Amino acid sequence: LKPKPYLGSRARKSSSLLQHSTLAAMGKTGVAKPEPTGMAAGLNKGFIVTRRELKQKPSLRRGRKSERVGLVREVVREVVGFAPYERRMIELIKIGSASTFKRSLKLAKKRL
């Protein structure tokens, strides 16, 4: 008999089950954790309690653009202007032929 290699405690669980339970434990909205059965063993083990509705953490709205940030970025863009490569792309698009449009897209892909 060959001994089985140790995979660690997390590697044995399926990733979707692990992700589901982790997200529910972190209080993420949209993921419903199954109700505990009151039994001491099994997937839904644990004492039966009434779950509290937690308010959303501020960290969950990170990355969303607020009205103030949008206004500040607009003002900065207006004052500072465009970068040289952005100006060139706008100029190529203004010309309007298919080949210049294609060239402006190529330029954008190369720069970004």
Side-chain angles (χ1 to χ4, degrees):
L1 291 171
K2 281 186 173 179
K4 289 184 180 178
Y6 178 70
L7 298 174
S9 60
R10 289 188 179 216
R12 281 183 258 142
K13 293 182 182 179
S14 71
S15 62
S16 63
L17 177 67
L18 181 68
Q19 186 180 13
H20 175 77
S21 62
T22 308
L23 287 174
M26 287 194 282
K28 305 283 188 208
T29 55
V31 179
K33 187 177 178 186
E35 292 297 319
T37 56
M39 298 173 80
L43 282 176
N44 307 325
K45 67 180 180 184
F47 190 75
I48 299 174
V49 293
T50 54
R51 296 194 48 87
R52 294 185 305 138
E53 192 63 42
L54 300 173
K55 69 178 190 178
Q56 198 175 27
K57 295 195 296 187
S59 62
L60 290 178
R61 70 172 299 279
R62 182 179 176 191
R64 293 193 189 144
K65 190 166 73 169
S66 66
E67 199 175 311
R68 181 173 180 262
V69 170
L71 182 68
V72 168
R73 285 182 183 164
E74 186 182 321
V75 169
V76 167
R77 173 65 74 160
E78 199 175 302
V79 172
V80 175
F82 293 100
Y85 77 93
E86 290 173 327
R87 272 189 247 127
R88 182 163 177 236
M89 285 188 321
I90 292 170
E91 188 182 314
L92 287 170
I93 291 170
K94 278 183 186 173
I95 293 170
S97 70
S99 62
T100 57
F101 186 72
K102 187 176 177 182
R103 205 170 344 132
S104 68
L105 284 176
K106 273 184 169 180
L107 179 70
K109 285 178 186 174
K110 197 166 91 173
R111 297 295 169 131
L112 298 175

